Amino acid sequence: FFSLSYNKRINDIRECKEAAVSHAGSMHRERRKFLRSALKELATVLSDQPGLLGPKALFVFMALSFARDEIIWLLRHADNMPKKSADDFIDKHIAELIFYMEELRAHVRKYGPVMQRYYVQYLSGFDAVVLNELVQNLSVCPEDESIIMSSFVNTMTSLSVKQDGEVFDFRGMRLDWFRLQAYTSVSKASLSLADHRELGKMMNTIIFHTKMVDSLVEMLVETSDLSIFCFYSRAFEKMFQQCLELPSQSRYSIAFPLLCTHFMSCTHELCPEERHHIGDRSLSLCNMFLDEMAKQARNLITDICTEQCTLSDQLLPKHCAKTISQAVNKKSKKQTGKKGEPEREKPGVETTHFYYIFLLQIEEVFHFLYGISTEGMLVISVLLFRPPPRSIVGMTMYNQATQEIAKPSELLTSVRAYMTVLQSIENYVQIDITRVFNNVLLQQTQHLDSHGEPTITSLYTNWYLETLLRQVSNGHIAYFPAMKAFVNLPTENELTFNAEEYSDISEMRSLSELLGPYGMKFLSESLMWHISSQVAELKKLVVENVDVLTQMRTSFDKPDQMAALFKRLSSVDSVLKRMTIIGVILSFRSLAQEALRDVRNHYKFLRNLLKYFLLCNSYIFYQVAMNVYELSSAAGLPCEIDPALVVALSSQKSENISPEEEYKIACLLMVFVAVSLPTLASNVMSQYSPAIEGHCNNIHCLAKAINQIAAALFTIHKGSIEDRLKEFLALASSSLLKIGQETDKTTTRNRESVYLLLDMIVQESPFLTMDLLESCFPYVLLRNAYHAVYKQSVTSSA
């Protein structure tokens, strides 16, 4: 009989086991599904009406405990799931349940004083009255029990919400309740608690209310502690990866780092050595989760920014040429290209098919960002969304081998698109994206970033100096004053870039906006370094011809002697070429300064103040004047004396040469340039073009070079700039007048075009006037020269 009964129990247990295995998974799955929606609704209601935490505290802790039990059940059974119902043991939405648990816990911690105030009033205004009635209605109450229950009533009656700053402690009251239960539960007790159930219920309710006043943290640990994850790290990490893989759940990924704060709850005072190891474990897991979330945020935002940059790029003017060509061909009924070739999609066509999906992706990203910004994670979020400088540098698409680089306007468009996406994050996360972005761009205005890597300032400075301006000096590019841009010249070796697309007004303004005043200052300093190296070489050429130039300086009114002395000069072409290069660099800097002035138009008050200082500059001391010039130059205002050029030339130190000798070399340099100008007339490329208001060999840039170099050199040596330029004008006009008497057509083929240089020099100079030019060079010659070059231009174009 015993054997039959034992076998029957075994069969019953086996059936129960099979029933549990087949039904428990689905049952707990539905429980978790219900709890997700219930906790979400509860968290939403409490966030809107936190005062409900008082009367509904029991429901909050019940919800937390139910959710904790379901999570622990799933965690413990995840490694031993049945194969038939394995899907019931894999919950990809577990992060949502944990997230709402953490949200409820956060509400309890945040509004703890509200709950404390409610239950202090509850204990003194209701519980004390009801307990006193129950005690008075007791038929038998021994002395010890009576003292304890009277103590309960007195303690609760004496409570008041006005006890600000006082720490409530009801542990003694709860110990007395344990003592009272012991007294009333023994056999032959005169007061049996079993016979007074209402008293027991009331005291248990009171004990719960006291815990709501002084033990909220302990209640949270008791009802929602998930420190068990510390010992299931593999399953913990797997849940986190599943959360990131599911877009609808990634917004709740912040719950996993928050769970790491539970780990310290599993430590015990009797085992202090465990705290260190568990603390390290919680910290390492938290860092790992935050790193993965940072990478996820970075990838999502970068994808959106890349998409927006692509869409912005489609709106650039360069893409409209093909569309216009197709429209013209269609109008003229010309068939071009392959038959059946599809037409190019116009910008905006993407809205017809995948725009809705794109909006969904953006919404998921913003929900993800909103989730990771909760619970005091703002500092981490700021670090997450800082646009890396290398991303901005990568937008330049700089290729050192081919010297290709994006146009400044294209880079500015991409940066603005990037910034627009990041600024939209401010609608979901409390981060000042504009300030973050400005900090990154400010770093890009330096020549190196914090990691020692090149910035957009260094890349563009290097490109304009080593690629564009070098091709200008090689004769492949010319500066056209009429267009205020550098333009490619028709040569045998075509350049890989169009200079006009990198140097016109819009591009220079874009460059100024990207580089800012600091970056433009670095660009100017780099330009001035090249000019100072050219001036150093010019001084060497002057030293080689110092004796001849000294004689020519005082013999400009003796034509025969000047002709003989000129034949003794060496390196005349080199002097003119180097001065032309200086003029080209100064012309480029003038474009950059003008662009800087245009984009910084919001400094109107400061600019007006600087203009006033510039007007008063002749009445103040030299050092103060240079400071005003430097400040004005940083704002893009033109100055009579270029402070950057003065600084660059002042740094040149010649050994064993006295200041008087340096001053003499500077004067003779101007003499050298003046007497060399007639040789330009024999150059075929020296012909003046009215269409471009200049010469194809850039000799019109000599006007800017002569004025700026003279102003800087004689400022350094404290000489009279006006006197030295008058001397230059006298020598230059005397030399040019001589070629008017020559009959050799080869020597004088572009005589009229070279005459115009004198007019350009005077127009460019703030120190010379047309009256002064008229005194040494008849204006009738200039008028006839303009007439001749315009006539020649019309004939050539015909």
Side-chain angles (χ1 to χ4, degrees):
F1 175 78
F2 178 77
S3 177
L4 292 175
S5 177
Y6 181 76
N7 290 334
K8 186 177 181 180
R9 297 285 79 78
I10 292 176
N11 292 331
D12 291 342
I13 293 172
R14 186 179 290 111
E15 290 177 2
C16 291
K17 178 249 183 184
E18 294 296 334
V21 169
S22 58
H23 298 98
S26 59
M27 180 190 68
H28 284 280
R29 181 193 64 201
E30 294 302 319
R31 277 188 183 178
R32 292 192 301 273
K33 182 178 179 180
F34 166 76
L35 286 172
R36 282 198 303 272
S37 60
L39 263 66
K40 180 180 180 180
E41 294 174 0
L42 185 59
T44 303
V45 171
L46 294 179
S47 62
D48 184 56
Q49 299 292 335
L52 291 176
L53 277 168
K56 300 300 179 182
L58 180 60
F59 290 97
V60 173
F61 289 108
M62 287 171 61
L64 288 174
S65 62
F66 291 156
R68 176 203 60 187
D69 293 342
E70 290 303 317
I71 293 171
I72 292 177
W73 185 91
L74 179 66
L75 186 65
R76 286 174 172 166
H77 292 80
D79 292 336
N80 297 296
M81 62 184 74
K83 296 181 179 179
K84 294 182 180 179
S85 57
D87 293 340
D88 294 336
F89 293 82
I90 300 175
D91 192 350
K92 295 183 179 180
H93 298 82
I94 195 68
E96 184 177 357
L97 184 59
I98 299 173
F99 178 83
Y100 290 121
M101 282 185 66
E102 291 298 325
E103 193 167 353
L104 289 176
R105 286 165 58 93
H107 287 324
V108 172
R109 288 193 296 267
K110 182 178 181 180
Y111 300 107
V114 175
M115 300 176 67
Q116 187 184 60
R117 185 183 181 89
Y118 175 84
Y119 281 104
V120 165
Q121 296 180 53
Y122 203 113
L123 286 168
S124 61
F126 181 81
D127 290 341
V129 175
V130 174
L131 181 62
N132 187 42
E133 290 182 1
L134 290 174
V135 172
Q136 295 297 330
N137 294 330
L138 292 176
S139 57
V140 178
C141 186
E143 182 179 359
D144 291 343
E145 286 83 344
S146 178
I147 292 174
I148 292 175
M149 287 188 286
S150 298
S151 174
F152 290 163
V153 175
N154 293 334
T155 300
M156 290 187 292
T157 305
S158 63
L159 293 176
S160 173
V161 294
K162 296 182 180 180
Q163 295 172 291
D164 294 333
E166 182 178 343
V167 178
F168 294 96
D169 189 355
F170 294 103
R171 287 180 297 178
M173 184 176 175
R174 289 192 286 269
L175 284 173
D176 285 342
W177 169 236
F178 293 153
R179 188 179 295 113
L180 182 61
Q181 291 179 82
Y183 289 167
T184 57
S185 300
V186 296
S187 60
K188 298 181 180 181
S190 56
L191 177 63
S192 176
L193 191 61
D195 298 332
H196 299 83
R197 292 182 178 273
E198 292 298 325
L199 177 63
K201 291 180 181 179
M202 188 62 201
M203 281 307 304
N204 283 333
T205 303
I206 290 173
I207 295 304
F208 173 73
H209 291 171
T210 61
K211 289 184 177 182
M212 295 296 99
V213 177
D214 67 344
S215 301
L216 276 176
V217 176
E218 289 79 0
M219 285 295 295
L220 287 176
V221 174
E222 183 179 344
T223 57
S224 60
D225 176 52
L226 290 172
S227 58
I228 190 173
F229 276 102
C230 180
F231 309 104
Y232 290 85
S233 58
R234 184 176 299 177
F236 194 26
E237 294 175 12
K238 185 177 180 180
M239 288 179 179
F240 176 72
Q241 293 298 331
Q242 289 176 346
C243 173
L244 290 184
E245 292 171 0
L246 193 63
S248 62
Q249 290 297 301
S250 61
R251 70 186 73 174
Y252 307 114
S253 57
I254 193 64
F256 292 93
L258 294 177
L259 274 187
C260 296
T261 61
H262 293 219
F263 289 1
M264 299 308 295
S265 301
C266 64
T267 60
H268 197 275
E269 296 178 356
L270 298 179
C271 299
E273 66 277 0
E274 292 181 351
R275 294 185 62 85
H276 177 71
H277 299 290
I278 293 177
D280 288 345
R281 181 60 180 164
S282 63
L283 183 61
S284 62
L285 278 175
C286 184
N287 287 334
M288 188 268 289
F289 292 149
L290 292 176
D291 287 342
E292 290 297 322
M293 290 164 61
K295 293 176 183 178
Q296 181 84 349
R298 178 199 64 192
N299 294 336
L300 292 172
I301 295 174
T302 302
D303 291 343
I304 293 180
C305 290
T306 302
E307 184 67 26
Q308 288 296 313
C309 289
T310 303
L311 295 176
S312 298
D313 182 77
Q314 292 178 4
L315 297 175
L316 292 176
K318 67 178 183 180
H319 294 296
C320 68
K322 189 172 182 180
T323 303
I324 295 174
S325 177
Q326 289 178 351
V328 171
N329 293 333
K330 186 176 182 180
K331 187 175 181 180
S332 60
K333 298 181 180 181
K334 290 182 180 180
Q335 298 296 329
T336 59
K338 296 180 180 179
K339 188 176 181 180
E341 182 180 357
E343 292 187 2
R344 176 179 174 270
E345 292 184 349
K346 297 179 181 179
V349 71
E350 67 277 353
T351 59
T352 59
H353 46 89
F354 73 86
Y355 189 63
Y356 178 70
I357 300 175
F358 183 63
L359 281 180
L360 290 179
Q361 293 174 347
I362 295 179
E363 183 181 0
E364 291 298 336
V365 171
F366 288 148
H367 280 303
F368 173 71
L369 299 179
Y370 175 78
I372 67 177
S373 66
T374 58
E375 289 292 333
M377 298 298 288
L378 180 61
V379 176
I380 296 174
S381 299
V382 171
L383 296 177
L384 287 176
F385 305 123
R386 181 175 296 243
R390 293 181 182 177
S391 298
I392 299 177
V393 173
M395 293 180 189
T396 63
M397 296 180 288
Y398 178 65
N399 189 330
Q400 189 174 5
T402 60
Q403 288 297 308
E404 294 178 352
I405 197 169
K407 293 189 292 186
S409 60
E410 295 178 1
L411 176 59
L412 183 60
T413 301
S414 299
V415 170
R416 284 174 174 170
Y418 206 108
M419 192 170 184
T420 300
V421 175
L422 294 182
Q423 281 180 325
S424 60
I425 296 174
E426 292 180 340
N427 299 328
Y428 301 86
V429 185
Q430 295 181 358
I431 305 175
D432 190 352
I433 292 295
T434 302
R435 176 171 294 182
V436 172
F437 215 101
N438 285 341
N439 290 338
V440 174
L441 286 180
L442 185 61
Q443 191 177 137
Q444 291 299 305
T445 63
Q446 309 301 313
H447 68 287
L448 293 175
D449 61 16
S450 57
H451 302 286
E453 297 292 332
T455 60
I456 59 176
T457 295
S458 59
L459 291 179
Y460 275 107
T461 299
N462 181 71
W463 189 87
Y464 277 104
L465 284 172
E466 301 299 330
T467 304
L468 191 142
L469 293 179
R470 187 174 294 277
Q471 294 299 332
V472 176
S473 60
N474 291 338
H476 298 153
I477 298 174
Y479 173 61
F480 287 8
M483 300 175 62
K484 288 191 175 181
F486 288 85
V487 180
N488 290 24
L489 294 175
T491 57
E492 295 180 358
N493 299 324
E494 291 293 334
L495 298 178
T496 58
F497 65 94
N498 189 348
E500 185 180 354
E501 295 180 356
Y502 288 86
S503 61
D504 62 7
I505 294 176
S506 62
E507 295 300 330
M508 296 308 295
R509 287 177 179 173
S510 299
L511 182 68
S512 299
E513 196 162 350
L514 285 169
L515 271 54
Y518 289 112
M520 296 303 287
K521 183 180 180 182
F522 176 77
L523 175 62
S524 296
E525 291 173 351
S526 302
L527 293 171
M528 294 308 155
W529 182 86
H530 282 266
I531 291 177
S532 65
S533 64
Q534 295 292 341
V535 172
E537 295 299 322
L538 286 170
K539 287 182 178 180
K540 293 178 182 178
L541 298 178
V542 170
V543 172
E544 294 176 2
N545 298 275
V546 64
D547 295 333
V548 179
L549 292 173
T550 303
Q551 297 179 51
M552 297 183 77
R553 185 181 182 185
T554 57
S555 305
F556 65 92
D557 54 346
K558 302 173 183 178
D560 296 335
Q561 188 175 351
M562 288 287 288
L565 291 172
F566 183 77
K567 293 179 180 180
R568 294 168 55 188
L569 286 177
S570 61
S571 306
V572 174
D573 293 338
S574 180
V575 169
L576 291 174
K577 185 174 182 181
R578 292 186 184 277
M579 284 297 291
T580 303
I581 292 173
I582 292 174
V584 167
I585 296 175
L586 290 173
S587 298
F588 176 77
R589 183 172 187 269
S590 177
L591 292 179
Q593 288 294 100
E594 184 177 351
L596 180 62
R597 183 172 69 252
D598 293 340
V599 300
R600 298 291 164 181
N601 53 10
H602 50 281
Y603 299 148
K604 186 175 181 181
F605 170 76
L606 178 60
R607 183 177 292 111
N608 292 337
L609 183 62
L610 290 174
K611 288 180 179 178
Y612 172 76
F613 276 127
L614 288 173
L615 290 174
C616 302
N617 225 9
S618 58
Y619 303 102
I620 54 181
F621 296 109
Y622 165 76
Q623 190 57 47
V624 178
M626 292 309 301
N627 291 336
V628 173
Y629 281 138
E630 185 173 359
L631 183 60
S632 302
S633 180
L637 294 176
C639 304
E640 293 180 354
I641 303 171
D642 195 329
L645 186 57
V646 171
V647 172
L649 297 182
S650 299
S651 61
Q652 293 180 347
K653 294 182 180 180
S654 302
E655 298 180 358
N656 303 324
I657 298 180
S658 62
E660 293 78 10
E661 191 68 21
E662 284 281 356
Y663 178 71
K664 180 182 178 181
I665 292 175
C667 295
L668 294 179
L669 173 59
M670 303 306 297
V671 173
F672 206 161
V673 176
V675 300
S676 302
L677 290 179
T679 60
L680 296 172
S682 61
N683 191 336
V684 179
M685 299 296 292
S686 295
Q687 182 179 351
Y688 179 83
S689 173
I692 66 175
E693 297 181 0
H695 308 74
C696 290
N697 59 352
N698 293 308
I699 61 173
H700 55 275
C701 296
L702 284 171
K704 191 177 291 290
I706 290 167
N707 282 288
Q708 292 288 349
I709 292 295
L713 286 177
F714 297 119
T715 297
I716 296 170
H717 300 299
K718 297 180 176 59
S720 174
I721 303 173
E722 187 174 349
D723 291 344
R724 299 286 69 80
L725 284 175
K726 288 180 180 179
E727 181 183 16
F728 170 85
L729 195 60
L731 284 165
S733 60
S734 175
S735 301
L736 289 175
L737 285 171
K738 287 189 304 180
I739 62 174
Q741 301 172 358
E742 296 186 10
T743 57
D744 187 1
K745 293 184 179 180
T746 305
T747 308
T748 61
R749 66 176 61 171
N750 287 314
R751 177 177 54 195
E752 288 77 11
S753 298
V754 178
Y755 282 169
L756 302 184
L757 282 178
L758 288 178
D759 186 44
M760 294 178 185
I761 292 170
V762 175
Q763 295 291 342
E764 183 73 30
S765 176
F767 305 100
L768 300 175
T769 62
M770 289 303 297
D771 293 338
L772 186 62
L773 177 62
E774 176 71 20
S775 64
C776 56
F777 193 88
Y779 186 75
V780 64
L781 291 179
L782 285 178
R783 186 176 63 241
N784 292 337
Y786 275 112
H787 179 74
V789 296
Y790 272 85
K791 184 177 180 181
Q792 187 177 5
S793 174
V794 172
T795 304
S796 300
S797 58

